[in-house]
Amino acid sequence: MNRSSIISLAFAAVCLLSVSCGRNSVSSGSGISTQNSTQQVTSATENEVTQSTTKESVVSNEQTDNDQNTGNYEFHADTVKAEDIYNCKVYNVPENIDGYEYYLLDIYDKNKILTQVFESGTESVNSAVQVGVYDLTDNSFLKMFEMNSDDALAAYDNDYYILYEREDHSANSMSNDYSRIYLYNAKDQTQQQIMKFDEIFSSSAMNAGTLLYNNCVYFTTITYCENAFNSEKGDIYSIFRYDIQTGELTKLCEDAYNPIIANGRPAAYFYDEKTKDYTAIRPIDTENDDFSFNMDNNTMYINITDDGVFAVYRKGQKKTIRELDSQTDILSTDQSGMEYFEDLKVNSSYAVWNDISGEKQTPYIYDLSEKKLVEFSNLHDGYYRCCIKDDYGFIESFEYTTDCKKTGHTVCIFEKK
């Protein structure tokens, strides 16, 4: 597999950012406050302000079967309504944060969302982006730090944020390479450089995976080879580990990329001599290879867990969320677009995914203990995306007109009763 095809496969996990009608597009407005200050979230219309300042609205129990919009989905598991098994709170989120576009990244804590605020719009080059916490209950935003819009926030938890910095921030730059990888420590508000990349021959591979786990950063580098496109392996991929506590940087292995968590510890995609591709998933920081999983080119978004191996399987136009060990299908669609079942994520409680197809579609997740698809029929049936943490999560749902004008935007926080 050559460099471009590997990067394209890994980059599928972030395709949400470039979909049409994707970001929370708004017009620019008033200025942003100083760093570490708490900002009140404002909305464009008086009606939206009234909706947004309502702390929460509990999911109505008065749902009917007519509320369900099955869209292009084919169900292979029983369904249950979210309000029957979860506590749900639905928030109408504002059109902007202090007049600026924003993007809800991930769960920070219950009712708090890690958020990026774009001072010059999402398409701007070499502009400031604020990273902070948006509180759904009082519509406030607490800024933590700034980054450049050309740089990449690749991995994070509540304490540490891993960023890739681009050396050339000019609008004419066509380079996808980053000059260094560094860590922002939110606890003491300091930066630590992890690695500075040496020109093009020891470049970052941000889109080939970065993992933050157990106070260590796992990341991929590429050594470009002049004859890469004429060789079986192509460019050389290597995985490094950076220990945040000690500052020690260790090269762990070659012929591997995309560090992930599998069976509760760091693993990666290794080059397989049989398939002549990066299809073997196994541990990267232990000599005891007590598990190995071989994927094929029809499998995406693999999650190896104690409850099984979950993935999105493609055959022709059909895409299916499947547990591979038992070959149990959960949900399918006959639509072939990448925007269906994008970025499958599985933990001990849920399997969730994004649907950014724009089709009329009721949001669903899969509950592992119930072994049922959970229907959120009270949310917008346009785009939706999901994030999970422990036994709770959020669904962000959007409503758009055919000309990409946003008419609704909500966040539902759910947890088991």
Side-chain angles (χ1 to χ4, degrees), residues 158-173:
N158 286 8
D159 295 326
Y160 303 115
Y161 298 82
I162 312 304
L163 297 102
Y164 286 78
E165 183 177 74
R166 195 186 301 277
E167 188 169 12
D168 186 354
H169 291 289
S170 67
N172 295 324
S173 174

Side-chain angles (χ1 to χ4, degrees), residues 176-189:
N176 288 319
D177 295 315
Y178 294 87
S179 59
R180 70 176 184 127
I181 175 175
Y182 69 97
L183 174 148
Y184 175 78
N185 187 330
K187 293 184 292 186
D188 57 17
Q189 299 179 5

Side-chain angles (χ1 to χ4, degrees), residues 382-393:
Y383 303 90
Y384 71 88
R385 57 182 293 268
C386 308
C387 294
I388 48 177
K389 184 177 183 179
D390 301 327
D391 62 347
Y392 64 96

Side-chain angles (χ1 to χ4, degrees), residues 202 250 301 306 398 417:
S202 182
T250 305
Y301 306 121
D306 292 338
F398 304 86
K417 289 184 176 178

Side-chain angles (χ1 to χ4, degrees), residues 253-305:
C253 54
E254 286 189 356
D255 297 333
Y257 81 108
N258 194 25
I260 60 173
I261 294 296
N263 277 11
R265 67 179 188 271
Y269 292 70
F270 283 79
Y271 186 82
D272 189 302
E273 292 291 346
K274 293 181 180 179
T275 64
K276 305 300 181 184
D277 210 340
Y278 288 81
T279 55
I281 301 176
R282 62 176 189 262
I284 56 178
D285 60 352
T286 177
E287 296 180 357
N288 181 21
D289 288 355
D290 58 352
F291 79 86
S292 181
F293 179 85
N294 287 302
M295 58 174 282
D296 60 39
N297 290 331
N298 293 320
T299 309
M300 302 171 58
Y301 306 121
I302 293 177
N303 289 255
I304 301 176
T305 74

